[in-house]
Amino acid sequence: MNGQLSNGLPRLATSGNRIVNTATGANLILRGVNRSGLEYADPDEQGFLSGAAISRSEIKAIVHDWKCNVVRIPFNQDFVLRGRKGRSGEEYQRALDQIIYWNSLFGAFTILDLQWLDADREYGNGNYVPPLPNAASIELWKLLGSRYRGEPAVLYDLLNEPHDRLPDDLYPLNREDGGTYPAAQRKVTPREWLPWARTLTDAVRSQNPDAGVLISGTSWGYDLRGIPMDLPNVVYSTHVYPDKGNDWAGAFGDLSASVPVFAAELGPKKENSEVAFVQQLIAFLTDREIGWAAWSWFNEPFLIDRYAATPFGAIVRKSLTT
């Protein structure tokens, strides 16, 4: 795209435990929200963005009014590769292009987050967040790495939440070499996840050597112990919710002293509960200069309700704007 979607935003890189603006060398702490919807919403007669109720005015509110400098966009692998409901994969890719453009127009970077893999199953029966990627994920990241080569506004979140396989998981534990782990195996540790992380990083960078990559922890993205790798320009991504306990220092906080850490999801488990948890977590992240993206603008626990901030959203907005 040669920068057409990035509206002059600079390329980011990592230096020590920081994300830096390569044009100035200044540290940059990314803070914003998740705008979910494209990972599951079918296109309507106007296309994928309309089906997910995403508009320019909404993106302006997120970035301009809430002062987000990053928006994380969960997406669906099969929608990218094959399309959905008579709409092509190219149409879905153009929807991603449009969001990247709108985000950067108002001043925000975009994190493309591989959230769901499958477009064919009927939704509502089982867990759609995969424990590990599949072989098509390599093709996916090569395609997106190529499409957004020259677009510094785009960052690549390789897999949303590696996790131990659950009884209702719709996917097996796939190996990066094309095989699968034994059916009885349920654990996903760094041993199973890191070969995939390297393979997918290589896939992106085979097309886009300067790509900034996010690598999630295990235990639904939370636990970064044993995750850091010998790869440049990698940010390590944690997802923090009340059910993971409060050993934040052990899971990711201490690590942030030596490598870049980003909380790609955070929030209460219910919309109007656990406000103190969110306040304490944002204070913890702020003290360690760890960036974050709250979950979620469009799905529970909601940041907004009829365009007004929920109690959770009010904390997030205040943290972003002051």
Side-chain angles (χ1 to χ4, degrees):
M1 294 286 182
N2 297 317
Q4 298 173 42
L5 303 178
S6 294
N7 286 294
L9 287 182
R11 187 172 69 85
L12 303 181
T14 63
S15 178
N17 67 335
R18 298 296 179 210
I19 298 170
V20 299
N21 176 333
T22 59
T24 65
N27 293 343
L28 179 64
I29 300 175
L30 296 173
R31 299 190 308 164
V33 303
N34 285 264
R35 204 316 182 171
S36 52
L38 277 177
E39 71 271 37
Y40 58 80
D42 285 338
D44 64 13
E45 64 277 3
Q46 297 180 57
F48 286 102
L49 291 179
S50 178
I54 297 175
S55 67
R56 184 183 188 275
S57 61
E58 181 191 63
I59 296 298
K60 183 178 181 181
I62 291 171
V63 180
H64 184 268
D65 298 347
W66 283 51
K67 307 299 182 188
C68 297
N69 64 3
V70 69
V71 182
R72 185 170 179 261
I73 303 295
F75 71 90
N76 186 305
Q77 175 171 289
D78 272 6
F79 287 15
V80 171
L81 297 177
R82 299 194 287 117
R84 175 75 171 171
K85 298 288 186 180
R87 300 276 183 165
S88 69
E90 175 61 28
E91 288 179 90
Y92 187 80
Q93 293 164 42
R94 289 199 297 268
L96 295 178
D97 295 348
Q98 184 65 79
I99 294 175
I100 292 164
Y101 179 83
W102 285 336
N103 284 338
S104 67
L105 179 66
F106 298 113
F109 293 85
T110 298
I111 297 173
L112 296 179
D113 156 49
L114 177 54
Q115 184 96 358
W116 287 19
L117 300 182
D118 201 333
D120 289 335
R121 302 179 191 275
E122 289 301 318
Y123 299 150
N125 297 305
N127 173 41
Y128 284 87
V129 176
L132 287 173
N134 62 20
S137 305
I138 300 171
E139 175 190 358
L140 168 89
W141 285 122
K142 286 182 178 179
L143 185 155
L144 294 181
S146 175
R147 188 175 187 91
Y148 300 121
R149 183 171 51 235
E151 293 295 346
V154 180
L155 305 170
Y156 304 83
D157 194 340
L158 301 178
L159 185 73
N160 179 49
E161 290 178 337
H163 61 270
D164 295 350
R165 189 167 182 265
L166 302 177
D168 68 341
D169 268 317
L170 301 175
Y171 312 98
L173 293 185
N174 298 299
R175 300 174 61 97
E176 78 288 349
D177 61 6
T180 59
Y181 289 96
Q185 179 173 338
R186 299 216 171 255
K187 296 293 291 182
V188 171
T189 70
R191 182 177 61 184
E192 290 78 30
W193 165 226
L194 292 185
W196 267 117
R198 186 177 298 276
T199 296
L200 298 184
T201 299
D202 290 346
V204 174
R205 291 182 175 166
S206 70
Q207 308 300 313
N208 186 349
D210 294 329
V213 168
L214 280 73
I215 296 177
S216 292
T218 54
S219 186
W220 297 89
Y222 173 67
D223 194 344
L224 290 175
R225 283 170 283 210
I227 297 297
M229 306 172 70
D230 58 339
L231 292 169
N233 291 336
V234 168
V235 176
Y236 296 94
S237 172
T238 182
H239 296 189
V240 193
Y241 293 101
D243 60 349
K244 305 310 285 187
N246 59 4
D247 185 16
W248 300 336
F252 61 87
D254 291 345
L255 187 65
S256 70
S258 56
V259 299
V261 170
F262 179 77
E265 292 185 18
L266 64 83
K269 297 304 288 185
K270 295 183 179 179
E271 180 180 340
N272 294 321
S273 66
E274 301 154 327
V275 169
F277 165 85
V278 176
Q279 292 172 320
Q280 292 163 9
L281 175 58
I282 290 179
F284 180 91
L285 298 172
T286 301
D287 183 59
R288 287 155 181 79
E289 299 185 305
I290 298 173
W292 47 267
W295 183 279
S296 166
W297 187 265
F298 195 70
N299 288 89
E300 291 186 309
F302 292 98
L303 290 160
I304 60 165
D305 181 15
R306 299 181 185 273
Y307 294 98
T310 63
F312 166 41
I315 296 169
V316 169
R317 183 168 187 173
K318 182 177 180 180
S319 300
L320 290 166
T321 58
T322 59

